[in-house]
Amino acid sequence: MAEDRARRLAGKRAIVTGGGSGFGAGMARRFTEEGAQVVIADLNLDAARAVAGEWGKADHGLAVDVANPDQVNRLAEQARQLMGGVDIIVNNAGVGHKPQPLDELSDAAFQRILDVNIRSIYLMSKAFVPALKAQGSGAILNIASTGGVSPRPNLTWYNASKGWVITATRAMAVELAPFQVRVNALNPVAGDTPLLKTFMGEDTPEVRARFLASIPIGRFSTPQDMGAAAAFLCSDDASMITGVALEVDGGRCI
């Protein structure tokens, strides 16, 4: 319950992209429980408003295509209007592709991976980093994947995009450290979210069993797992942590 939880993010203002479902919704809920104001940016306006409405702030749910520079710039202005500024940015929006040989993925699917998993972080940085640098504080959290560390076959271009996120996180952390802006990443293993079927190809008990057999702790990541890890990394409890890609994977990458 929120009243029982340490409010480590009291007074903080956060944006969570892709926050209308799955891991993004879990992080947004935990941030709110810990005292933050949260704007949810999602392609699905109804989903974004539904999650934000859980704490009476439906107007904090916004429709945003994070691969569109005009929409990202508008998001920055809307965040200033709604919250007066931003302290925490969670680049969670992402897409995958169905397992297939690397030489068979369509050009359109490859471009979508680049736009949503990579270009969006570049655009969000251009829109928000100047203000973080000016205020001399902030936390950026990029959602990568265990696929960027320990790739699964037939997901090559998704894996590669998440490897880029991990490298970008470390480079951003080094460059922004003098401005007291910390940048970290989370590497979740697959979660029981809308993207799960994409990664598995099909969702059957047999396929799930094979997938779970690769996770020593024996279960998928949950939105609650991601929320807990994200709240820590974006709080002052992690004030000396930057450039880290934290695995939330039940031991899969060991």
Side-chain angles (χ1 to χ4, degrees):
M1 297 294 291
E3 58 269 26
D4 299 325
R5 209 186 292 290
R7 294 172 66 83
R8 293 177 294 184
L9 302 180
K12 302 294 186 183
R13 302 157 298 181
I15 289 178
V16 179
T17 68
S21 63
F23 290 155
M27 289 184 282
R29 291 182 178 112
R30 181 63 178 259
F31 282 15
T32 301
E33 290 175 0
E34 297 217 17
Q37 294 185 69
V38 182
V39 163
I40 295 175
D42 199 287
L43 268 179
N44 186 328
L45 176 60
D46 290 340
R49 289 179 62 85
V51 175
E54 293 175 11
W55 46 87
K57 294 281 189 179
D59 63 324
H60 281 49
L62 305 175
V64 181
D65 177 354
V66 291
N68 182 307
D70 292 336
Q71 293 190 31
V72 171
N73 289 334
R74 187 174 71 225
L75 170 64
E77 179 56 33
Q78 289 173 308
R80 282 191 288 270
Q81 292 174 358
L82 288 167
M83 303 187 295
V86 175
D87 304 293
I88 298 167
I89 297 165
V90 180
N91 290 308
N92 168 72
V95 295
H97 60 77
K98 291 185 178 180
Q100 58 193 283
L102 62 88
D103 52 329
E104 294 182 8
L105 189 74
S106 70
D107 288 354
F110 179 74
Q111 188 61 53
R112 187 163 182 254
I113 292 286
L114 292 181
D115 286 343
V116 181
N117 294 2
I118 292 177
R119 189 166 189 252
S120 67
I121 295 177
Y122 162 75
L123 293 176
M124 289 287 290
S125 297
K126 289 191 71 175
F128 288 96
V129 163
L132 296 180
K133 290 164 73 172
Q135 71 190 28
S137 64
I140 299 172
L141 184 65
N142 298 322
I143 306 307
S145 169
T146 55
V149 179
S150 179
R152 293 181 185 272
N154 295 318
L155 292 170
T156 289
W157 305 119
Y158 170 80
N159 295 331
S161 74
K162 293 304 187 177
W164 182 95
V165 172
I166 294 168
T167 298
T169 295
R170 292 171 176 158
M172 292 168 69
V174 171
E175 182 169 338
L176 297 179
F179 301 95
Q180 301 304 304
V181 175
R182 298 183 300 106
V183 188
N184 291 296
L186 291 179
N187 293 339
V189 73
D192 200 354
T193 71
L195 279 180
L196 181 60
K197 186 176 180 180
T198 299
F199 296 126
M200 296 195 305
E202 57 180 338
D203 192 354
T204 66
E206 294 75 21
V207 172
R208 283 193 172 222
R210 287 199 301 271
F211 215 95
L212 287 170
S214 69
I215 305 172
I217 226 165
R219 65 174 178 84
F220 295 114
S221 294
T222 69
Q224 292 77 21
D225 294 326
M226 292 292 287
F232 166 66
L233 285 178
C234 293
S235 76
D236 291 342
D237 285 350
S239 63
M240 194 58 174
I241 300 175
T242 195
V244 164
L246 177 66
E247 288 150 15
V248 185
D249 70 345
R252 182 189 173 259
C253 289
I254 295 173

